[in-house]
Amino acid sequence: MNSQIKISTVIVTLVSAILVYSSFILGDSENYLFPRLISATIAILTIMLWFEKGEADKSTNFKDLMPGIAIASAFILLLKILGFYLASMIVFFTLVMYYTKPTESKDFWRVLLIKLGVAFVFTFALYGLFTLLLKVHTPEGLF
Amino acid sequence: MEFLNYFDNVFTVYHIALLVGGTFAGIILGALPGLSPTMSVALLIPFTFHMKPESGLILLGAMYTATVAGGAISAILVNVPGAPANIATALDGHKMAQNGKAKNALHYCFISSFVGGIFGVFILIFFTPPLAALSLKFMSTEMFWVAILGITIIATLDSKSVIKGLLSGLFGLMLATIGEHPTNAVERFVFTDHLESGVHIVVGLIGLFAMPQVWNLLENFYAKKNRVFSATGDATLIQSFKLVFSKLKALSIGSIIGSIIGIIPGAGGQIAGIVAYDQSKKVSSNRENYGKGEPEAIIAAESANNSMVGPSLIPLLTLSIPGSPTAAVLLGGLLIHGIFPGHDIFTKNPEVIWTFIDSLIIAQILMLIIGLFLSRHSKWIMKVPDNYMAVGILLLAVFGTYSIQNNYSDVLIMFTLGTLMYFGSKAGFSPVPVVLGLILGTMTEEKFLLGNLIGNAKGSSFQHFTSGTINIVLISLCIASIVYGVYSSRKSKKIKA
């Protein structure tokens, strides 16, 4: 078993243990009958997972992935403060600016203006579609 | 011939507009490498909330049909299948593009998709009502085993590891138990206020399918891209039609195999395309040209993956077991519109279901017309940069999730679930069984509790669940699917070694 498989198996075991604990210890027998059946089966399969000869897990390119997750997480947290459209425009611009290919134009200001323009047009199109046309609620924020 | 009575409902300006829009968007989304039909249908579901059930289903059906066909565009021009169903198409389609015949390949692809698709819808029309009548014999314990069978089949077919597939399905069932108990409203597993209303089906669908795609696009953003070929070639439409219909053997093999595989719960277009490709190669007189740009190969693969669409809805509409991963998502769409699959689906909701099925025929025709038109401009479709695509999916996912119940907690659940699923998929876990577990969870628990109650009254709950012909057949099928899953995963490991 390689180290990546070991880590994922340990995580699955921990999740299974939490499920078994919350179904059998925290819950009463009447309301937790079905979760108990499922979590017990999960526990048995988790034990079997330790003996499975698995293939190596796919490696993760954290260097390129984590900034994206951080920007998107900030967007989710900012939704309630800035509202959907303002937060969307900011996350759109930030993500496309951060993820720039080396082959793109070297003229920083030109790239910045184009991406800002696309972010604005995209957000405005979302506003037109969701709020004006479909009349659907979006997170409003404080402003 | 009851289906003929409901064509009027399809031919309204509103429904035709939905069909055109759904097909147009579906082909474009299908053509974008990495955006699967399953994710596209999942993202679309919130937009159908405010529609009448038949309108919502028409839009979802058009999207399902078109994304499967659209996936062939990127398979041919970039050698990256737009959906797993187009893997077999890429083998010869891309070779034709390299030989300067991408336009020909795209023509063959859309024409054979159309023929296969129409064939599949007719199988759906004629086989669904008798199977729905058969489902009358399914009581609580049988329905419990049907749900377990659906999860077992999808878990064993969609994952490389049977154990991980089954664990994924069971995690989905556990997710469905979060929130209120189905019969006495006692709160379970509510560790934070955000989990008070449980995990909504659509929140799970969007999180499990859309968010991993966002992370995937960003993680591989700097990786080298494949060359995109232009849709060049010497074929006229009439020549292409003549060629496709002259390859009747490949067309029939694809359409029949696709339909059979579509009916098998959980199998999906990927298997249909590959099996049809393989079988048509075996009987073809041009078998030495397979893999070098053989039109018959494209015709067999594409007619198969589109003929799978209609039949994949047969077990879904009659027994709640989806025939493909996208059909699993469509099940979520049916449930949120108050359509419950089963024996009475054609008596309780005939207008909705027949209108939906009729619309699939029109969707196939529109797919052919719009597909042939868009394939000329397909090179530009595939030039959408990954960073723009990722942020577009992220914003639609957040909007779609929030719009379900105007609840910020849903957004947090979607984001967390999707991110965990991304890392889970790296470790070999698949989102499809999780989603099916989540969708079928409440129904499974209700049937389990009812069966348990009746069983206890009779003296033995265990005996109640394990007696009766249908129960025994269903349990045997569950075991057989697990055994088959173990066998095929060992076989594929041996081949790799």
Side-chain angles (χ1 to χ4, degrees):
Chain A
M1 204 183 255
N2 72 23
S3 60
Q4 281 176 335
I5 297 180
K6 264 186 197 164
I7 293 169
S8 63
T9 311
V10 167
I11 293 170
V12 173
T13 310
L14 282 173
V15 173
S16 308
I18 292 167
L19 291 176
V20 170
Y21 177 76
S22 25
S23 311
F24 282 87
I25 311 291
L26 298 180
D28 57 89
S29 62
E30 193 190 335
N31 296 313
Y32 284 76
L33 187 61
F34 186 68
R36 282 181 176 186
L37 178 76
I38 302 300
S39 59
T41 319
I42 287 177
I44 294 165
L45 287 169
T46 307
I47 294 167
M48 289 166 73
L49 195 62
W50 281 94
F51 298 99
E52 190 185 47
K53 284 180 186 168
E55 289 173 34
D57 291 358
K58 287 177 200 161
S59 61
T60 305
N61 176 7
F62 283 105
K63 192 177 152 247
D64 290 339
L65 176 65
M66 289 321 283
I69 292 185
I71 294 168
S73 306
F75 161 63
I76 300 290
L77 296 174
L78 283 174
L79 268 178
K80 279 188 98 171
I81 302 165
L82 299 178
F84 179 71
Y85 295 111
L86 186 56
S88 293
M89 194 152 75
I90 293 170
V91 76
F92 194 111
F93 176 68
T94 315
L95 264 178
V96 295
M97 273 308 284
Y98 182 84
Y99 287 91
T100 302
K101 283 201 169 152
T103 48
E104 284 186 45
S105 168
K106 297 277 182 268
D107 186 344
F108 175 77
W109 292 107
R110 187 168 174 268
V111 172
L112 184 132
L113 276 176
I114 289 173
K115 291 188 172 176
L116 198 60
V118 176
F120 180 78
V121 170
F122 188 81
T123 314
F124 194 75
L126 289 184
Y127 176 75
L129 179 69
F130 298 154
T131 303
L132 300 181
L133 193 71
L134 297 174
K135 302 194 190 311
V136 182
H137 288 285
T138 53
E140 283 179 355
L142 302 175
F143 306 105
Chain B
M1 293 291 170
E2 197 184 349
F3 75 98
L4 292 172
N5 301 336
Y6 296 93
F7 267 108
D8 284 0
N9 295 345
V10 183
F11 288 110
T12 63
V13 175
Y14 180 53
H15 285 164
I16 291 292
L18 285 179
L19 277 166
V20 172
T23 310
F24 191 84
I27 291 174
I28 291 177
L29 287 173
L32 294 169
L35 298 197
S36 67
T38 316
M39 193 212 74
S40 307
V41 175
L43 268 182
L44 193 67
I45 286 179
F47 290 91
T48 69
F49 268 8
H50 306 281
M51 296 177 181
K52 284 199 278 181
E54 59 267 38
S55 308
L57 290 174
I58 283 174
L59 186 58
L60 294 174
M63 179 68 91
Y64 182 16
T65 304
T67 42
V68 173
I73 296 177
S74 55
I76 291 167
L77 300 187
V78 203
N79 201 22
V80 179
N86 308 106
I87 289 171
T89 312
L91 298 174
D92 282 74
H94 190 63
K95 281 279 184 291
M96 283 189 76
Q98 285 175 328
N99 298 336
K101 292 192 170 179
K103 187 178 157 192
N104 308 36
L106 288 165
H107 281 181
Y108 305 152
C109 145
F110 281 105
I111 296 167
S112 47
S113 287
F114 165 72
V115 176
I118 292 283
F119 182 82
V121 177
F122 276 99
I123 297 284
L124 169 71
I125 289 170
F126 292 112
F127 278 74
T128 311
L131 271 173
L134 182 76
S135 69
L136 252 176
K137 295 185 176 160
F138 287 62
M139 310 309 280
S140 57
T141 54
E142 287 85 357
M143 284 311 294
F144 169 78
W145 285 118
V146 161
I148 298 296
L149 175 64
I151 293 166
T152 310
I153 292 175
I154 288 228
T156 49
L157 283 178
D158 200 64
S159 307
K160 285 178 187 165
S161 151
V162 175
I163 296 174
K164 285 178 180 173
L166 291 172
L167 275 170
S168 306
L170 292 168
F171 282 134
L173 284 175
M174 281 305 282
L175 280 177
T177 63
I178 296 173
E180 288 184 351
H181 187 280
T183 51
N184 58 20
V186 170
E187 282 187 348
R188 297 177 300 182
F189 305 115
V190 181
F191 302 119
T192 152
D193 291 348
H194 294 298
L195 291 172
E196 249 178 19
S197 10
V199 180
H200 193 283
I201 291 172
V202 185
V203 173
L205 285 177
I206 296 175
L208 292 166
F209 287 113
M211 288 314 298
Q213 192 54 44
V214 174
W215 305 142
N216 187 39
L217 288 168
L218 295 179
E219 188 190 346
N220 301 310
F221 180 71
Y222 297 105
K224 198 182 165 192
K225 278 224 135 190
N226 294 351
R227 188 185 158 195
V228 183
F229 284 88
S230 295
T232 52
D234 53 9
T236 63
L237 259 181
I238 295 170
Q239 285 170 337
S240 301
F241 268 100
K242 274 185 184 169
L243 185 128
V244 171
F245 286 101
S246 70
K247 308 281 183 193
L248 273 180
K249 210 193 292 175
L251 206 54
S252 321
I253 288 173
S255 302
I256 294 168
I257 287 179
S259 298
I260 294 169
I261 289 175
I263 296 173
I264 299 170
Q270 180 185 347
I271 298 170
I274 291 169
V275 174
Y277 179 94
D278 184 52
Q279 291 304 312
S280 79
K281 185 181 178 182
K282 280 178 182 155
V283 299
S284 172
S285 51
N286 300 328
R287 70 178 73 98
E288 67 280 0
N289 292 334
Y290 272 62
K292 297 175 189 165
E294 171 57 44
E296 276 184 30
I298 300 170
I299 293 167
E302 278 302 308
S303 54
N305 66 32
N306 239 47
S307 70
M308 172 278 309
V309 171
S312 73
L313 302 175
I314 297 175
L316 176 83
L317 294 175
T318 53
L319 298 166
S320 308
I321 308 178
S324 70
T326 318
V329 175
L330 213 58
L331 175 60
L334 283 170
L335 296 179
I336 58 158
H337 282 290
I339 312 289
F340 295 92
H343 61 87
D344 51 1
I345 195 163
F346 287 97
T347 48
K348 271 191 179 170
N349 304 289
E351 193 163 337
V352 176
I353 294 302
W354 282 121
T355 305
F356 167 55
I357 292 175
D358 288 348
S359 76
L360 290 176
I361 297 177
I362 311 302
Q364 296 291 348
I365 298 167
L366 289 171
M367 179 271 294
L368 174 68
I369 298 166
I370 297 173
L372 288 171
F373 168 75
L374 278 182
S375 59
R376 284 189 225 165
H377 310 284
S378 41
K379 189 179 176 183
W380 303 108
I381 298 169
M382 266 163 297
K383 280 196 170 172
V384 179
D386 286 352
N387 50 351
Y388 286 86
M389 210 159 20
V391 74
I393 298 170
L394 172 70
L395 297 184
L396 285 177
V398 168
F399 162 77
T401 306
Y402 185 82
S403 69
I404 301 161
Q405 307 180 108
N406 294 341
N407 187 353
Y408 179 69
S409 298
D410 284 345
V411 178
L412 292 177
I413 293 171
M414 181 278 294
F415 189 80
T416 312
L417 212 54
T419 308
L420 290 175
M421 188 68 245
Y422 183 65
F423 291 109
S425 65
K426 295 262 180 183
F429 291 90
S430 164
V432 182
V434 183
V435 160
L436 195 60
L438 177 63
I439 292 173
L440 294 178
T442 309
M443 184 271 273
T444 314
E445 182 169 11
E446 280 172 1
K447 300 297 175 193
F448 173 74
L449 293 175
L450 185 62
N452 188 49
L453 204 68
I454 298 169
N456 283 338
K458 281 182 176 175
S460 167
S461 181
F462 179 77
Q463 200 187 350
H464 183 59
F465 272 92
T466 52
S467 59
T469 316
I470 299 177
N471 279 338
I472 292 168
V473 170
L474 290 169
I475 295 168
S476 310
L477 287 173
C478 286
I479 295 167
S481 79
I482 293 172
V483 172
Y484 174 76
V486 173
Y487 166 76
S488 59
S489 99
R490 282 193 179 172
K491 198 177 160 190
S492 67
K493 273 178 196 165
K494 266 186 190 172
I495 291 168
K496 275 183 190 170

